[in-house]
Structure formats: C-alpha cells, structure tokens
Amino acid sequence: MAEERVQRRLAAILAADVVGFSRLMEADEVGTLTALKSRRKDVLDPLVAKHRGRIFKTTGDGVLIEFASVVDAVQCAVELQQAMAAANDGQPENRHIVLRIGINLGDVMAEGSDLYGDGVNIAARLEALAESGGILISGTAHHHVSAKVKIGFEDVGIQALKNIAQPVRAYRVRLEGSAAPISRTAAALPLPDKPSIAVLPFTNMSGDPEQEYFSDGMTEDIITELSRHRQISVIARHSSFQFRDGSADVMNVGRKLGVGFVLEGSVRRAGGRIRITAQLIDTKTGNHLWAERYDRSVDDIFTVQDEVVNIIVSTLYGRLEAAGAQVAKRKHPDNLAAYDYLLRGIEHQQKGTRDHLVEARPLLEKAIEIDPEFAAAYAHLALVDQGQYDFDGSPELLEAALKLARKAVALDDNDAVAHVVLGYANLWAKQLDKAEFHQMRALALNPNHAAIVAHMGLLSAYLGNAVAGVEWLHRALQLNPYPPDWYRSMLGVAHYAARQYAQAAQSLEAMSDRTPWDRMYAAAAYGQLNRVTDAKMQLAEFRAERNRGFILDYAATEPYKSSADIEHLCDGQRMAGLPERA
C-alpha cells in the first residue's frame, strides 16, 4: 500500500490552559471539574463556534483550537478572556478559573482530525509564557492581524521557545476594559535589587493535623538553605507563613511581600515514605518556572530539600548577575571550601578588568585543586582566559579557554554556563557551527539567564543577523539592568554590524574599562560617522595597547561569517585612519 501523503495547511492555532490547575484540583477536585465543564459549555464552545473555530485536542486543563483566520483566533481569544473574567465575578479568589492563551499562525500537518508541527508547538509555547488572564501571539500572527482589529499590542521581544529551533518574536494583546482576573488595588512593595523569593508553608497532605509540624519544619529548612545564598533575598518565615491558608493568589503574594518568585508545595507522609511536591512561580506573570514531585524514603528528606534549593538557584540564574557572585554548578562540590573559592573567584572574574582577572585566577585554580570535578570552576576559569585573550589577543590564552570549557561541559552537560562559555570560545576560534550549537544548548537550558541571552546577541551579529543581535542584547539588559561592561561592549559590536553607528559609539563610550577590541570598534563607528577627531582619539589609544595596529591584521581575528561584514569593519577602520599594513 502506498504511504499516505502528509496533508499540510496554513492555520491559526489557539492554545489555552487553566492557571494553577493543580492547586485548584488539590483544593477541590470535584468542584474544579464541575466548574471547568460548565465554563466549556457556557463560554468556550459558543465562542469557538461564533468565530468559526474547531477544537481538535483537549487535556484536563487545556485546549487546542484551529481557525482558518488569525483575525478570528485573536478576536475569539479576547472575548474568551473577557467572558472568563466576568464569570469569576462574585466567586472567591481561590475558586477563580483563569486562562493563559497563546496564538500562532503557521504551517501544520493534519492526521485525521488532529494537527501537528511547529505551527501548533509555537502556540503552545507562547501560551506557557503568557500572563495569567493574558494573550501572547507570535510575530507571524501579529503581522497578519495588527491592522485588521481594534486591539492594542505590546512587543515583548524575541523569545527562545523550548524545542523550537529559531527564536520567535512575541506580542502581548492589550485587554483594556476587560475585567482583570486579579485585583490590582493593593499597594505593591518594591522589589529588592536582587532576586527575591517567598517560600509559602508547604501544605500538610498527610490527613493528620498533628503532622503539620513536619511540613512546617521542612518549609523552614528550605528557607534556611536558600538564605545561605547571599545573591538571593529570602522572605523570613514569619512573613511567608501569613499566607498559610493557600487562598491568596501568588501574584498578590508577590505584591504584598515584594518578591519576584514564590515557592509553594505539599508534603504527604505515610509510614517510612514521603511525597513532596514543589513548584516555583514568577509572581509577575503567574508562570510556573519549574515543578517537581519526589517520592522518597523519609531518610532522604535532606537530599530532597537540597535538590529543591539547587533547582531554584539554577532557575533564577539569569536574574542573579546584578547581585554579585554566581553559582553555575548544578552538582554539589565535594568540598565546601571549593565552593567558597568559586564564589570569591567569580566576584573578581565578573568585573572583567585586567586586575580583577588576575585576582580571579588563583582562586578558581584553588577550587579546582580542592575539587577536580567542579564544572563551574572550570567554566569560570575558562572565562578568565577568554577575558585576558580579549585584552591581549594571545592564541595560547584562547586555546587554554577552549580546553577548560570542554572540560566543564564534559563534567556537567546540563550546566548552561559551561555551554555558553564553550560557545564563546569556539566563536573566537572561528568554529561557528560549534559556537552556535553550544549557545543554543545554553539557551535551551536557561532561556532567562541574562549572560546567555547577551552572548546570543553577539553570536547573532557575527552570524549575519545583527538586528536580531541588538534585540537579544536589549533583552539581556532588561534581565540585568546593572550590567558589567562587557554587555555594552557586545551591544556596541551588534550596533556597528547593524550599521547603527551612533548607537555603537554610545554603547562603547559608556564603558568604564575598554579593551583594545572596544576601542577599535569605537574608532570604526566614529569613522563611519565622519567624526574624525573622536576616531583618531580612539585609534591612538587602540594602537598604544596593541602592537598589531593594522586593518588586515585585526580584521583577520574577527569571526564574522560573511566576508561582506569583515569588509564593512575594514571600511570603518580606514575611515578612522588605520593603515592597511605596516
């Protein structure tokens, strides 16, 4: 029998699910299912029919809908959110059923009544990123709908979506005039300068009120362990235990306690076994960043606590750089002294100046000496070599950075920082395919890590997509509003490659400690702007630091994929007055 040909078509896909479904089911399983059936019959189905949609897949708390028109999909989504908010009126806050929705326009594959492919997957990924009660649509959908509906949109930038090869631009639908799913009237406490978290009392699910001490004790132990990480602000037990009854929405908790994240969970103890569930939630969006369930022997309780703490630190990694020393390692060091040396070394390494790089090296080498399998120590020592290469251009330093970064990845393939470091070293070794592989692996492991996002910007510029590179770097600056100098350095390069010379010069001049590489790009930007005096000043400082001061010498080190981009840099250097050769 001949193989059946795959049927493809263009379709608008709407993905929706219920926010906090597990919490609702845990509180009242029968009542939640009854309410969901009622909302589908009275709200969802009539609106889908009105806008000529077709439901092709349902789960316990989610639905996928196909529309022939993306205009119909967006209008249906807006009316659906408004109707759901209206249906919540008069209900207790802990009984609200709130949706998040994602929409994409793309190619899909049809098999029977079901649909598959990236056209569907992107909608589902956008739904997961949407705010509670909100709608997020892809750039393709926005392009086709923006001029055809009387709805406002907000560009939220390029998003790296799980298991989607290419980043996707997303737009938030503005729902002015709709009933908000959560009251915004309470005054919000300001967020601290570093990542902040409240650990709510874990619910005792053991059926025995006398066991509440156990769940409370576990909650307090997690608070204590998180407090050991000085780069995270942890709300004290007394404050977080004010929300013991579990009825408060996490977004409201975030406003009242002034925290960006909430950890909540439950403990069920029976005999010698224990079941622990935990979920980490972003209080700004209501998005679940991580969730896990542990079934263990009671003897393993401290191991479970340890795992929870480490996952939280890893998940928040992208928010931590403004706070000082970072923890990149996903596995524990065998010796706490090694961990201490790592933190001290990173404090210096991240400042990035010549002197601080020199001070970082012995501290990181000591961490490796104490624990030879400490992946994070190798990764950050590789960054020291790479940083010194940026200043001095020594091929030996680049080779040393590559060797150390490969070792870090070999020790821990799930360490996002190890991958981004290896990607960066491969970029300068002009192994662009390897650089892209490790950069994308890092981005998949931690898409909200500011440094990884910034490196994606630089790589995009060198690969020939400088406009996207600038966007990636602006996103990194949103994640880290008080960045080290190298963020501005990368932004300057991306602006130059995008032919945005004034912005390039501005970014590079904002740095407090420029490398010869930065001065060369600044000189080229001023050359393109015909600002001769400024160009000559940068050029003089560049040539004073580098013996190699000629266009052809320096252009040969730049890892642009396109020869046209290399020639574009050479043009700027010529305009700045840099000679072709000795």
Side-chain angles (χ1 to χ4, degrees):
M1 178 181 288
E3 183 178 346
E4 184 179 351
R5 185 176 179 183
V6 174
Q7 295 183 1
R8 292 182 178 272
R9 62 175 177 264
L10 188 68
I13 304 298
L14 184 155
D17 82 344
V18 177
V19 178
F21 179 69
S22 298
R23 172 179 55 81
L24 293 170
M25 288 290 286
E26 189 173 75
D28 182 0
E29 189 173 87
V30 174
T32 297
L33 291 176
T34 300
L36 283 177
K37 289 179 181 178
S38 174
R39 295 291 177 92
R40 172 161 182 177
K41 177 177 176 290
D42 298 334
V43 178
L44 178 65
D45 289 347
L47 285 173
V48 171
K50 174 185 174 182
H51 294 283
R52 297 171 291 280
R54 179 182 71 90
I55 297 174
F56 65 89
K57 184 176 290 184
T58 60
T59 61
D61 65 332
V63 62
L64 290 170
I65 309 169
E66 177 191 16
F67 295 84
S69 161
V70 70
V71 173
D72 285 340
V74 172
Q75 288 178 331
C76 181
V78 171
E79 291 181 30
L80 178 58
Q81 290 290 34
Q82 291 172 337
M84 293 294 285
N88 286 331
D89 283 348
Q91 298 290 325
E93 190 171 297
N94 65 328
R95 300 302 304 147
H96 284 189
I97 295 180
V98 180
L99 300 181
R100 54 169 69 92
I101 295 175
I103 296 174
N104 179 49
L105 176 66
D107 186 71
V108 298
M109 296 181 292
E111 184 176 300
S113 61
D114 210 347
L115 300 178
Y116 302 92
D118 278 354
V120 177
N121 296 338
I122 289 172
R125 299 304 182 207
L126 290 172
E127 170 266 301
L129 293 177
E131 298 177 353
S132 298
I135 305 167
L136 210 57
I137 72 172
S138 67
T140 354
H142 177 265
H143 175 73
H144 286 81
V145 79
S146 58
K148 299 174 183 175
V149 294
K150 295 181 179 180
I151 298 170
F153 298 92
E154 179 185 350
D155 186 350
V156 296
I158 294 174
Q159 305 293 319
L161 305 181
K162 183 178 180 181
N163 296 329
I164 303 297
Q166 297 298 322
V168 173
R169 179 175 288 282
Y171 292 81
R172 181 183 294 113
V173 176
R174 291 180 181 151
L175 298 172
E176 288 92 345
S178 64
I182 297 168
S183 171
R184 307 278 179 185
T185 57
L189 290 178
L191 294 177
D193 293 334
K194 55 185 178 180
S196 51
I197 185 169
V199 182
L200 302 187
F202 275 38
T203 304
N204 171 31
M205 301 294 292
S206 301
D208 178 4
E210 296 298 322
Q211 291 292 317
E212 193 162 281
Y213 78 91
F214 187 80
S215 56
D216 284 357
M218 179 173 178
T219 307
E220 188 162 6
D221 284 345
I222 291 174
I223 292 172
T224 300
E225 288 304 309
L226 281 173
S227 299
R228 296 182 191 278
H229 295 271
R230 58 186 175 183
Q231 66 271 54
I232 302 176
S233 174
V234 185
I235 295 297
R237 176 188 188 278
H238 182 268
S239 293
S240 61
F241 272 50
Q242 301 298 312
F243 299 90
R244 176 185 292 281
D245 63 6
S247 62
D249 186 277
V250 293
M251 297 174 76
N252 193 37
V253 172
R255 290 192 298 276
K256 288 185 175 180
L257 294 181
V259 294
F261 306 92
V262 161
L263 180 73
E264 62 179 17
S266 64
V267 179
R268 185 188 302 273
R269 185 178 182 183
R273 302 293 298 176
I274 186 170
R275 170 175 290 182
I276 300 168
T277 65
Q279 52 189 2
L280 184 65
I281 304 168
D282 186 326
T283 63
K284 291 189 183 70
T285 64
N287 289 344
H288 288 62
L289 304 180
W290 162 81
E292 190 59 87
R293 186 180 76 180
Y294 303 88
D295 289 297
R296 300 287 178 81
S297 164
V298 172
D299 296 337
D300 294 334
I301 182 65
F302 297 112
T303 301
V304 172
Q305 292 175 4
D306 207 28
E307 289 181 26
V308 170
V309 170
N310 282 314
I311 290 172
I312 293 168
V313 173
S314 177
T315 303
L316 299 184
Y317 195 103
R319 277 84 163 177
L320 300 182
E321 287 197 2
Q326 307 301 315
V327 183
K329 193 170 183 290
R330 296 178 66 87
K331 302 174 184 175
H332 281 305
D334 291 335
N335 190 305
L336 288 178
Y339 177 72
D340 185 67
Y341 276 109
L342 172 73
L343 294 181
R344 292 162 57 196
I346 290 174
E347 282 183 328
H348 290 291
Q349 174 263 312
Q350 287 189 333
K351 292 176 182 176
T353 67
R354 291 177 187 270
D355 290 343
H356 280 108
L357 291 173
V358 169
E359 292 184 55
R361 181 179 296 280
L363 295 167
L364 294 168
E365 288 175 340
K366 185 67 175 177
I368 292 171
E369 177 186 335
I370 295 171
D371 185 353
E373 296 190 354
F374 200 171
Y378 287 97
H380 284 279
L381 187 55
L383 282 173
V384 169
D385 282 331
Q386 182 68 56
Q388 292 185 322
Y389 169 79
D390 291 343
F391 279 108
D392 302 329
S394 165
E396 291 77 18
L397 284 168
L398 180 58
E399 185 56 40
L402 277 166
K403 184 177 179 180
L404 287 164
R406 291 189 193 110
K407 178 71 172 178
V409 168
L411 287 170
D412 191 352
D413 185 57
N414 289 320
D415 189 326
V417 173
H419 279 284
V420 77
V421 172
L422 183 52
Y424 187 58
N426 273 306
L427 172 65
W428 289 100
K430 297 189 176 180
Q431 301 292 324
L432 298 184
D433 288 343
K434 292 180 180 178
E436 188 171 16
F437 171 83
H438 289 289
Q439 172 62 46
M440 294 307 294
R441 170 75 171 144
L443 203 59
L445 287 167
N446 198 335
N448 291 315
H449 185 316
I452 292 173
V453 172
H455 279 86
M456 188 68 203
L458 183 68
L459 179 63
S460 296
Y462 280 125
L463 291 179
N465 195 354
V467 173
V470 170
E471 292 174 345
W472 278 107
L473 280 151
H474 279 302
R475 182 184 171 203
L477 288 167
Q478 288 176 342
L479 292 169
N480 188 359
Y482 303 100
D485 265 345
W486 61 263
Y487 279 61
R488 298 185 180 92
S489 173
M490 290 182 176
L491 182 58
V493 173
H495 275 307
Y496 183 88
R499 281 59 172 173
Q500 298 165 351
Y501 308 119
Q503 296 95 320
Q506 183 180 13
S507 295
L508 295 163
E509 287 283 23
M511 299 173 62
S512 59
D513 191 10
R514 288 183 288 278
T515 68
W517 184 59
D518 303 316
R519 296 188 188 283
M520 183 273 297
Y521 266 97
Y526 284 129
Q528 296 280 8
L529 292 168
N530 200 30
R531 291 171 56 176
V532 178
T533 302
D534 291 323
K536 286 183 176 179
M537 183 181 302
Q538 294 296 327
L539 198 59
E541 294 177 352
F542 162 64
R543 299 193 70 184
E545 296 186 51
R546 274 283 174 92
N547 292 326
R548 295 182 309 162
F550 305 99
I551 290 174
L552 296 181
D553 291 332
Y554 208 94
T557 68
E558 285 298 281
Y560 284 107
K561 184 176 183 178
S562 167
S563 58
D565 284 328
I566 295 174
E567 185 57 33
H568 169 238
L569 177 59
C570 291
D571 287 342
Q573 294 172 326
R574 290 187 190 99
M575 294 175 184
L578 191 66
E580 295 277 349
R581 55 180 59 83

